Amino acid sequence: MTGFILVSNSGKKISLEHASHPCPRCKNQSSVQLTRSEKSLIVLNKRITDNSRVRYECSQCKWKNEMLPYDGRESAELDRYLSENSTDDLFYGDASTPPHVSP
């Protein structure tokens, strides 16, 4: 027997990575993961809306954000990388000389 749905607000969450990150709110070292949330609104067996959102979520305190905040370690690693590599390396890759631009 097939059921008839008057109104439904269904949804599911899918983890997009195996890595875990520390939570900036509850300080748990491995509770934040990148997650895709899918929600749909069904009225009279017809799908009205279908929303999908990707963000970081903490499984312990329910913190959510689209980006992870930088911590001191990540900022130090970025500063070290930028100091070891010149800005030419960032723009031109491994080329020994920048490309010639005609006037």
PDB file of all heavy atoms in Angstrom, residues 59-92:
ATOM      1  N   SER A  59      29.615  17.921  16.453  1.00  0.00           N
ATOM      2  CA  SER A  59      28.683  16.883  16.900  1.00  0.00           C
ATOM      3  C   SER A  59      28.403  16.963  18.399  1.00  0.00           C
ATOM      4  O   SER A  59      27.441  16.367  18.877  1.00  0.00           O
ATOM      5  CB  SER A  59      29.228  15.498  16.554  1.00  0.00           C
ATOM      6  OG  SER A  59      30.468  15.290  17.207  1.00  0.00           O
ATOM      7  N   GLN A  60      29.199  17.716  19.143  1.00  0.00           N
ATOM      8  CA  GLN A  60      29.020  17.812  20.591  1.00  0.00           C
ATOM      9  C   GLN A  60      28.142  18.994  21.008  1.00  0.00           C
ATOM     10  O   GLN A  60      27.167  18.828  21.706  1.00  0.00           O
ATOM     11  CB  GLN A  60      30.379  17.916  21.289  1.00  0.00           C
ATOM     12  CG  GLN A  60      31.295  16.744  21.026  1.00  0.00           C
ATOM     13  CD  GLN A  60      30.734  15.447  21.573  1.00  0.00           C
ATOM     14  OE1 GLN A  60      30.256  15.399  22.697  1.00  0.00           O
ATOM     15  NE2 GLN A  60      30.779  14.406  20.771  1.00  0.00           N
ATOM     16  N   CYS A  61      28.509  20.207  20.555  1.00  0.00           N
ATOM     17  CA  CYS A  61      27.790  21.404  21.017  1.00  0.00           C
ATOM     18  C   CYS A  61      26.910  22.028  19.937  1.00  0.00           C
ATOM     19  O   CYS A  61      26.307  23.064  20.157  1.00  0.00           O
ATOM     20  CB  CYS A  61      28.773  22.449  21.544  1.00  0.00           C
ATOM     21  SG  CYS A  61      29.792  23.217  20.260  1.00  0.00           S
ATOM     22  N   LYS A  62      26.856  21.414  18.743  1.00  0.00           N
ATOM     23  CA  LYS A  62      26.025  21.867  17.624  1.00  0.00           C
ATOM     24  C   LYS A  62      26.472  23.201  17.026  1.00  0.00           C
ATOM     25  O   LYS A  62      25.703  23.867  16.341  1.00  0.00           O
ATOM     26  CB  LYS A  62      24.537  21.956  18.019  1.00  0.00           C
ATOM     27  CG  LYS A  62      23.990  20.682  18.609  1.00  0.00           C
ATOM     28  CD  LYS A  62      24.159  19.524  17.669  1.00  0.00           C
ATOM     29  CE  LYS A  62      23.602  18.247  18.291  1.00  0.00           C
ATOM     30  NZ  LYS A  62      24.136  17.058  17.698  1.00  0.00           N
ATOM     31  N   TRP A  63      27.747  23.596  17.251  1.00  0.00           N
ATOM     32  CA  TRP A  63      28.304  24.784  16.586  1.00  0.00           C
ATOM     33  C   TRP A  63      28.278  24.555  15.085  1.00  0.00           C
ATOM     34  O   TRP A  63      28.542  23.461  14.601  1.00  0.00           O
ATOM     35  CB  TRP A  63      29.733  25.006  17.088  1.00  0.00           C
ATOM     36  CG  TRP A  63      30.480  26.070  16.352  1.00  0.00           C
ATOM     37  CD1 TRP A  63      30.483  27.393  16.615  1.00  0.00           C
ATOM     38  CD2 TRP A  63      31.356  25.887  15.221  1.00  0.00           C
ATOM     39  NE1 TRP A  63      31.296  28.051  15.723  1.00  0.00           N
ATOM     40  CE2 TRP A  63      31.839  27.151  14.856  1.00  0.00           C
ATOM     41  CE3 TRP A  63      31.759  24.778  14.484  1.00  0.00           C
ATOM     42  CZ2 TRP A  63      32.710  27.341  13.798  1.00  0.00           C
ATOM     43  CZ3 TRP A  63      32.624  24.965  13.417  1.00  0.00           C
ATOM     44  CH2 TRP A  63      33.093  26.231  13.092  1.00  0.00           C
ATOM     45  N   LYS A  64      27.949  25.612  14.314  1.00  0.00           N
ATOM     46  CA  LYS A  64      27.891  25.511  12.854  1.00  0.00           C
ATOM     47  C   LYS A  64      28.467  26.776  12.243  1.00  0.00           C
ATOM     48  O   LYS A  64      28.238  27.873  12.746  1.00  0.00           O
ATOM     49  CB  LYS A  64      26.441  25.366  12.379  1.00  0.00           C
ATOM     50  CG  LYS A  64      25.742  24.152  12.883  1.00  0.00           C
ATOM     51  CD  LYS A  64      24.288  24.166  12.511  1.00  0.00           C
ATOM     52  CE  LYS A  64      23.607  22.985  13.184  1.00  0.00           C
ATOM     53  NZ  LYS A  64      22.178  23.071  13.110  1.00  0.00           N
ATOM     54  N   ASN A  65      29.209  26.613  11.158  1.00  0.00           N
ATOM     55  CA  ASN A  65      29.723  27.755  10.424  1.00  0.00           C
ATOM     56  C   ASN A  65      30.161  27.285   9.044  1.00  0.00           C
ATOM     57  O   ASN A  65      30.491  26.124   8.851  1.00  0.00           O
ATOM     58  CB  ASN A  65      30.892  28.400  11.162  1.00  0.00           C
ATOM     59  CG  ASN A  65      31.117  29.835  10.726  1.00  0.00           C
ATOM     60  OD1 ASN A  65      30.552  30.297   9.750  1.00  0.00           O
ATOM     61  ND2 ASN A  65      31.950  30.532  11.471  1.00  0.00           N
ATOM     62  N   GLU A  66      30.188  28.200   8.083  1.00  0.00           N
ATOM     63  CA  GLU A  66      30.605  27.844   6.737  1.00  0.00           C
ATOM     64  C   GLU A  66      32.115  27.714   6.607  1.00  0.00           C
ATOM     65  O   GLU A  66      32.602  27.103   5.668  1.00  0.00           O
ATOM     66  CB  GLU A  66      30.067  28.872   5.731  1.00  0.00           C
ATOM     67  CG  GLU A  66      28.559  28.807   5.621  1.00  0.00           C
ATOM     68  CD  GLU A  66      27.995  29.789   4.632  1.00  0.00           C
ATOM     69  OE1 GLU A  66      28.780  30.518   3.988  1.00  0.00           O
ATOM     70  OE2 GLU A  66      26.765  29.838   4.510  1.00  0.00           O
ATOM     71  N   MET A  67      32.862  28.306   7.538  1.00  0.00           N
ATOM     72  CA  MET A  67      34.322  28.232   7.501  1.00  0.00           C
ATOM     73  C   MET A  67      34.857  27.893   8.883  1.00  0.00           C
ATOM     74  O   MET A  67      34.254  28.246   9.884  1.00  0.00           O
ATOM     75  CB  MET A  67      34.912  29.578   7.069  1.00  0.00           C
ATOM     76  CG  MET A  67      34.594  29.943   5.640  1.00  0.00           C
ATOM     77  SD  MET A  67      35.187  31.579   5.154  1.00  0.00           S
ATOM     78  CE  MET A  67      36.829  31.617   5.777  1.00  0.00           C
ATOM     79  N   LEU A  68      35.992  27.221   8.902  1.00  0.00           N
ATOM     80  CA  LEU A  68      36.677  26.981  10.164  1.00  0.00           C
ATOM     81  C   LEU A  68      37.472  28.230  10.528  1.00  0.00           C
ATOM     82  O   LEU A  68      38.104  28.830   9.655  1.00  0.00           O
ATOM     83  CB  LEU A  68      37.657  25.809  10.037  1.00  0.00           C
ATOM     84  CG  LEU A  68      37.074  24.418  10.061  1.00  0.00           C
ATOM     85  CD1 LEU A  68      38.164  23.397   9.782  1.00  0.00           C
ATOM     86  CD2 LEU A  68      36.415  24.132  11.385  1.00  0.00           C
ATOM     87  N   PRO A  69      37.452  28.633  11.786  1.00  0.00           N
ATOM     88  CA  PRO A  69      38.295  29.772  12.163  1.00  0.00           C
ATOM     89  C   PRO A  69      39.758  29.354  12.187  1.00  0.00           C
ATOM     90  O   PRO A  69      40.082  28.195  12.456  1.00  0.00           O
ATOM     91  CB  PRO A  69      37.797  30.124  13.566  1.00  0.00           C
ATOM     92  CG  PRO A  69      37.186  28.868  14.078  1.00  0.00           C
ATOM     93  CD  PRO A  69      36.670  28.119  12.879  1.00  0.00           C
ATOM     94  N   TYR A  70      40.647  30.289  11.859  1.00  0.00           N
ATOM     95  CA  TYR A  70      42.079  29.999  11.945  1.00  0.00           C
ATOM     96  C   TYR A  70      42.470  29.914  13.404  1.00  0.00           C
ATOM     97  O   TYR A  70      42.017  30.697  14.222  1.00  0.00           O
ATOM     98  CB  TYR A  70      42.901  31.118  11.300  1.00  0.00           C
ATOM     99  CG  TYR A  70      42.963  31.042   9.805  1.00  0.00           C
ATOM    100  CD1 TYR A  70      42.345  31.999   9.017  1.00  0.00           C
ATOM    101  CD2 TYR A  70      43.654  30.015   9.175  1.00  0.00           C
ATOM    102  CE1 TYR A  70      42.402  31.936   7.636  1.00  0.00           C
ATOM    103  CE2 TYR A  70      43.712  29.943   7.804  1.00  0.00           C
ATOM    104  CZ  TYR A  70      43.096  30.903   7.042  1.00  0.00           C
ATOM    105  OH  TYR A  70      43.159  30.833   5.696  1.00  0.00           O
ATOM    106  N   ASP A  71      43.326  28.946  13.716  1.00  0.00           N
ATOM    107  CA  ASP A  71      43.902  28.943  15.052  1.00  0.00           C
ATOM    108  C   ASP A  71      45.349  29.397  14.926  1.00  0.00           C
ATOM    109  O   ASP A  71      45.852  29.628  13.834  1.00  0.00           O
ATOM    110  CB  ASP A  71      43.781  27.576  15.725  1.00  0.00           C
ATOM    111  CG  ASP A  71      44.545  26.473  15.010  1.00  0.00           C
ATOM    112  OD1 ASP A  71      45.279  26.769  14.059  1.00  0.00           O
ATOM    113  OD2 ASP A  71      44.398  25.318  15.426  1.00  0.00           O
ATOM    114  N   GLY A  72      46.039  29.551  16.021  1.00  0.00           N
ATOM    115  CA  GLY A  72      47.407  30.052  16.012  1.00  0.00           C
ATOM    116  C   GLY A  72      48.350  29.178  15.203  1.00  0.00           C
ATOM    117  O   GLY A  72      49.242  29.678  14.512  1.00  0.00           O
ATOM    118  N   ARG A  73      48.174  27.869  15.258  1.00  0.00           N
ATOM    119  CA  ARG A  73      49.053  26.942  14.546  1.00  0.00           C
ATOM    120  C   ARG A  73      48.908  27.120  13.038  1.00  0.00           C
ATOM    121  O   ARG A  73      49.886  27.200  12.309  1.00  0.00           O
ATOM    122  CB  ARG A  73      48.712  25.504  14.950  1.00  0.00           C
ATOM    123  CG  ARG A  73      49.557  24.450  14.272  1.00  0.00           C
ATOM    124  CD  ARG A  73      49.164  23.052  14.727  1.00  0.00           C
ATOM    125  NE  ARG A  73      47.743  22.798  14.658  1.00  0.00           N
ATOM    126  CZ  ARG A  73      47.105  22.387  13.560  1.00  0.00           C
ATOM    127  NH1 ARG A  73      47.760  22.192  12.439  1.00  0.00           N
ATOM    128  NH2 ARG A  73      45.803  22.159  13.576  1.00  0.00           N
ATOM    129  N   GLU A  74      47.671  27.194  12.551  1.00  0.00           N
ATOM    130  CA  GLU A  74      47.446  27.368  11.113  1.00  0.00           C
ATOM    131  C   GLU A  74      47.982  28.702  10.630  1.00  0.00           C
ATOM    132  O   GLU A  74      48.556  28.797   9.553  1.00  0.00           O
ATOM    133  CB  GLU A  74      45.955  27.245  10.791  1.00  0.00           C
ATOM    134  CG  GLU A  74      45.422  25.850  10.965  1.00  0.00           C
ATOM    135  CD  GLU A  74      43.907  25.809  10.870  1.00  0.00           C
ATOM    136  OE1 GLU A  74      43.275  26.864  11.040  1.00  0.00           O
ATOM    137  OE2 GLU A  74      43.378  24.721  10.627  1.00  0.00           O
ATOM    138  N   SER A  75      47.797  29.731  11.418  1.00  0.00           N
ATOM    139  CA  SER A  75      48.300  31.053  11.047  1.00  0.00           C
ATOM    140  C   SER A  75      49.825  31.054  10.996  1.00  0.00           C
ATOM    141  O   SER A  75      50.426  31.635  10.086  1.00  0.00           O
ATOM    142  CB  SER A  75      47.799  32.096  12.053  1.00  0.00           C
ATOM    143  OG  SER A  75      48.263  33.366  11.707  1.00  0.00           O
ATOM    144  N   ALA A  76      50.476  30.383  11.949  1.00  0.00           N
ATOM    145  CA  ALA A  76      51.938  30.298  11.952  1.00  0.00           C
ATOM    146  C   ALA A  76      52.439  29.513  10.750  1.00  0.00           C
ATOM    147  O   ALA A  76      53.446  29.886  10.138  1.00  0.00           O
ATOM    148  CB  ALA A  76      52.421  29.655  13.250  1.00  0.00           C
ATOM    149  N   GLU A  77      51.754  28.417  10.384  1.00  0.00           N
ATOM    150  CA  GLU A  77      52.149  27.636   9.208  1.00  0.00           C
ATOM    151  C   GLU A  77      52.007  28.459   7.934  1.00  0.00           C
ATOM    152  O   GLU A  77      52.875  28.416   7.067  1.00  0.00           O
ATOM    153  CB  GLU A  77      51.294  26.373   9.103  1.00  0.00           C
ATOM    154  CG  GLU A  77      51.621  25.334  10.140  1.00  0.00           C
ATOM    155  CD  GLU A  77      50.679  24.136  10.082  1.00  0.00           C
ATOM    156  OE1 GLU A  77      49.844  24.074   9.149  1.00  0.00           O
ATOM    157  OE2 GLU A  77      50.767  23.283  10.969  1.00  0.00           O
ATOM    158  N   LEU A  78      50.953  29.243   7.817  1.00  0.00           N
ATOM    159  CA  LEU A  78      50.755  30.097   6.648  1.00  0.00           C
ATOM    160  C   LEU A  78      51.832  31.167   6.581  1.00  0.00           C
ATOM    161  O   LEU A  78      52.412  31.415   5.516  1.00  0.00           O
ATOM    162  CB  LEU A  78      49.362  30.739   6.681  1.00  0.00           C
ATOM    163  CG  LEU A  78      49.026  31.684   5.534  1.00  0.00           C
ATOM    164  CD1 LEU A  78      49.081  30.955   4.198  1.00  0.00           C
ATOM    165  CD2 LEU A  78      47.657  32.305   5.737  1.00  0.00           C
ATOM    166  N   ASP A  79      52.150  31.806   7.708  1.00  0.00           N
ATOM    167  CA  ASP A  79      53.209  32.819   7.741  1.00  0.00           C
ATOM    168  C   ASP A  79      54.556  32.221   7.353  1.00  0.00           C
ATOM    169  O   ASP A  79      55.322  32.829   6.617  1.00  0.00           O
ATOM    170  CB  ASP A  79      53.305  33.461   9.133  1.00  0.00           C
ATOM    171  CG  ASP A  79      52.120  34.354   9.445  1.00  0.00           C
ATOM    172  OD1 ASP A  79      51.410  34.758   8.484  1.00  0.00           O
ATOM    173  OD2 ASP A  79      51.891  34.635  10.634  1.00  0.00           O
ATOM    174  N   ARG A  80      54.854  31.011   7.852  1.00  0.00           N
ATOM    175  CA  ARG A  80      56.118  30.348   7.527  1.00  0.00           C
ATOM    176  C   ARG A  80      56.187  30.034   6.032  1.00  0.00           C
ATOM    177  O   ARG A  80      57.188  30.276   5.376  1.00  0.00           O
ATOM    178  CB  ARG A  80      56.288  29.068   8.344  1.00  0.00           C
ATOM    179  CG  ARG A  80      57.648  28.419   8.125  1.00  0.00           C
ATOM    180  CD  ARG A  80      57.915  27.177   8.992  1.00  0.00           C
ATOM    181  NE  ARG A  80      57.083  26.995  10.144  1.00  0.00           N
ATOM    182  CZ  ARG A  80      56.086  26.093  10.220  1.00  0.00           C
ATOM    183  NH1 ARG A  80      55.808  25.313   9.208  1.00  0.00           N
ATOM    184  NH2 ARG A  80      55.380  25.966  11.313  1.00  0.00           N
ATOM    185  N   TYR A  81      55.092  29.542   5.464  1.00  0.00           N
ATOM    186  CA  TYR A  81      55.056  29.233   4.038  1.00  0.00           C
ATOM    187  C   TYR A  81      55.270  30.493   3.205  1.00  0.00           C
ATOM    188  O   TYR A  81      56.047  30.494   2.256  1.00  0.00           O
ATOM    189  CB  TYR A  81      53.717  28.590   3.663  1.00  0.00           C
ATOM    190  CG  TYR A  81      53.577  28.351   2.179  1.00  0.00           C
ATOM    191  CD1 TYR A  81      54.176  27.253   1.582  1.00  0.00           C
ATOM    192  CD2 TYR A  81      52.867  29.241   1.376  1.00  0.00           C
ATOM    193  CE1 TYR A  81      54.067  27.031   0.223  1.00  0.00           C
ATOM    194  CE2 TYR A  81      52.758  29.021   0.013  1.00  0.00           C
ATOM    195  CZ  TYR A  81      53.359  27.925  -0.560  1.00  0.00           C
ATOM    196  OH  TYR A  81      53.258  27.722  -1.913  1.00  0.00           O
ATOM    197  N   LEU A  82      54.603  31.566   3.565  1.00  0.00           N
ATOM    198  CA  LEU A  82      54.732  32.808   2.806  1.00  0.00           C
ATOM    199  C   LEU A  82      56.127  33.408   2.930  1.00  0.00           C
ATOM    200  O   LEU A  82      56.630  34.007   1.977  1.00  0.00           O
ATOM    201  CB  LEU A  82      53.671  33.818   3.244  1.00  0.00           C
ATOM    202  CG  LEU A  82      52.232  33.450   2.883  1.00  0.00           C
ATOM    203  CD1 LEU A  82      51.264  34.452   3.479  1.00  0.00           C
ATOM    204  CD2 LEU A  82      52.051  33.341   1.385  1.00  0.00           C
ATOM    205  N   SER A  83      56.776  33.234   4.080  1.00  0.00           N
ATOM    206  CA  SER A  83      58.122  33.782   4.244  1.00  0.00           C
ATOM    207  C   SER A  83      59.159  32.951   3.490  1.00  0.00           C
ATOM    208  O   SER A  83      60.165  33.471   3.027  1.00  0.00           O
ATOM    209  CB  SER A  83      58.500  33.873   5.726  1.00  0.00           C
ATOM    210  OG  SER A  83      58.624  32.577   6.271  1.00  0.00           O
ATOM    211  N   GLU A  84      58.915  31.646   3.330  1.00  0.00           N
ATOM    212  CA  GLU A  84      59.857  30.783   2.614  1.00  0.00           C
ATOM    213  C   GLU A  84      59.708  30.892   1.104  1.00  0.00           C
ATOM    214  O   GLU A  84      60.641  30.627   0.360  1.00  0.00           O
ATOM    215  CB  GLU A  84      59.654  29.322   3.038  1.00  0.00           C
ATOM    216  CG  GLU A  84      60.069  29.040   4.455  1.00  0.00           C
ATOM    217  CD  GLU A  84      59.691  27.639   4.900  1.00  0.00           C
ATOM    218  OE1 GLU A  84      59.052  26.910   4.114  1.00  0.00           O
ATOM    219  OE2 GLU A  84      60.005  27.284   6.046  1.00  0.00           O
ATOM    220  N   ASN A  85      58.546  31.266   0.616  1.00  0.00           N
ATOM    221  CA  ASN A  85      58.282  31.359  -0.817  1.00  0.00           C
ATOM    222  C   ASN A  85      58.043  32.820  -1.185  1.00  0.00           C
ATOM    223  O   ASN A  85      57.270  33.510  -0.536  1.00  0.00           O
ATOM    224  CB  ASN A  85      57.051  30.536  -1.200  1.00  0.00           C
ATOM    225  CG  ASN A  85      57.260  29.079  -0.896  1.00  0.00           C
ATOM    226  OD1 ASN A  85      58.114  28.440  -1.489  1.00  0.00           O
ATOM    227  ND2 ASN A  85      56.500  28.551   0.052  1.00  0.00           N
ATOM    228  N   SER A  86      58.699  33.255  -2.248  1.00  0.00           N
ATOM    229  CA  SER A  86      58.504  34.637  -2.673  1.00  0.00           C
ATOM    230  C   SER A  86      57.144  34.781  -3.325  1.00  0.00           C
ATOM    231  O   SER A  86      56.520  33.804  -3.743  1.00  0.00           O
ATOM    232  CB  SER A  86      59.601  35.050  -3.655  1.00  0.00           C
ATOM    233  OG  SER A  86      59.411  34.392  -4.891  1.00  0.00           O
ATOM    234  N   THR A  87      56.683  35.989  -3.466  1.00  0.00           N
ATOM    235  CA  THR A  87      55.387  36.218  -4.104  1.00  0.00           C
ATOM    236  C   THR A  87      55.432  35.833  -5.567  1.00  0.00           C
ATOM    237  O   THR A  87      54.425  35.454  -6.146  1.00  0.00           O
ATOM    238  CB  THR A  87      54.954  37.686  -3.964  1.00  0.00           C
ATOM    239  OG1 THR A  87      55.997  38.518  -4.477  1.00  0.00           O
ATOM    240  CG2 THR A  87      54.661  38.025  -2.522  1.00  0.00           C
ATOM    241  N   ASP A  88      56.619  35.892  -6.212  1.00  0.00           N
ATOM    242  CA  ASP A  88      56.732  35.446  -7.603  1.00  0.00           C
ATOM    243  C   ASP A  88      56.412  33.969  -7.723  1.00  0.00           C
ATOM    244  O   ASP A  88      55.788  33.545  -8.688  1.00  0.00           O
ATOM    245  CB  ASP A  88      58.139  35.711  -8.158  1.00  0.00           C
ATOM    246  CG  ASP A  88      58.397  37.194  -8.363  1.00  0.00           C
ATOM    247  OD1 ASP A  88      57.404  37.956  -8.421  1.00  0.00           O
ATOM    248  OD2 ASP A  88      59.577  37.580  -8.461  1.00  0.00           O
ATOM    249  N   ASP A  89      56.838  33.160  -6.742  1.00  0.00           N
ATOM    250  CA  ASP A  89      56.547  31.733  -6.767  1.00  0.00           C
ATOM    251  C   ASP A  89      55.048  31.478  -6.698  1.00  0.00           C
ATOM    252  O   ASP A  89      54.523  30.549  -7.303  1.00  0.00           O
ATOM    253  CB  ASP A  89      57.218  31.005  -5.601  1.00  0.00           C
ATOM    254  CG  ASP A  89      58.730  30.974  -5.734  1.00  0.00           C
ATOM    255  OD1 ASP A  89      59.222  31.172  -6.866  1.00  0.00           O
ATOM    256  OD2 ASP A  89      59.404  30.769  -4.715  1.00  0.00           O
ATOM    257  N   LEU A  90      54.329  32.318  -5.951  1.00  0.00           N
ATOM    258  CA  LEU A  90      52.895  32.135  -5.815  1.00  0.00           C
ATOM    259  C   LEU A  90      52.168  32.435  -7.122  1.00  0.00           C
ATOM    260  O   LEU A  90      51.196  31.785  -7.466  1.00  0.00           O
ATOM    261  CB  LEU A  90      52.347  33.037  -4.702  1.00  0.00           C
ATOM    262  CG  LEU A  90      52.852  32.735  -3.296  1.00  0.00           C
ATOM    263  CD1 LEU A  90      52.325  33.772  -2.317  1.00  0.00           C
ATOM    264  CD2 LEU A  90      52.451  31.345  -2.865  1.00  0.00           C
ATOM    265  N   PHE A  91      52.648  33.429  -7.859  1.00  0.00           N
ATOM    266  CA  PHE A  91      51.970  33.823  -9.088  1.00  0.00           C
ATOM    267  C   PHE A  91      52.440  33.069 -10.321  1.00  0.00           C
ATOM    268  O   PHE A  91      51.688  32.836 -11.238  1.00  0.00           O
ATOM    269  CB  PHE A  91      52.126  35.329  -9.323  1.00  0.00           C
ATOM    270  CG  PHE A  91      51.380  36.152  -8.310  1.00  0.00           C
ATOM    271  CD1 PHE A  91      52.061  36.864  -7.351  1.00  0.00           C
ATOM    272  CD2 PHE A  91      50.005  36.175  -8.303  1.00  0.00           C
ATOM    273  CE1 PHE A  91      51.375  37.618  -6.414  1.00  0.00           C
ATOM    274  CE2 PHE A  91      49.307  36.919  -7.370  1.00  0.00           C
ATOM    275  CZ  PHE A  91      49.996  37.646  -6.424  1.00  0.00           C
ATOM    276  N   TYR A  92      53.721  32.717 -10.363  1.00  0.00           N
ATOM    277  CA  TYR A  92      54.277  32.128 -11.578  1.00  0.00           C
ATOM    278  C   TYR A  92      54.646  30.661 -11.438  1.00  0.00           C
ATOM    279  O   TYR A  92      55.165  30.067 -12.357  1.00  0.00           O
ATOM    280  CB  TYR A  92      55.513  32.918 -12.027  1.00  0.00           C
ATOM    281  CG  TYR A  92      55.211  34.377 -12.236  1.00  0.00           C
ATOM    282  CD1 TYR A  92      55.814  35.343 -11.459  1.00  0.00           C
ATOM    283  CD2 TYR A  92      54.305  34.777 -13.213  1.00  0.00           C
ATOM    284  CE1 TYR A  92      55.526  36.679 -11.650  1.00  0.00           C
ATOM    285  CE2 TYR A  92      54.021  36.107 -13.410  1.00  0.00           C
ATOM    286  CZ  TYR A  92      54.629  37.060 -12.623  1.00  0.00           C
ATOM    287  OH  TYR A  92      54.344  38.374 -12.806  1.00  0.00           O
TER     288      TYR A  92
END
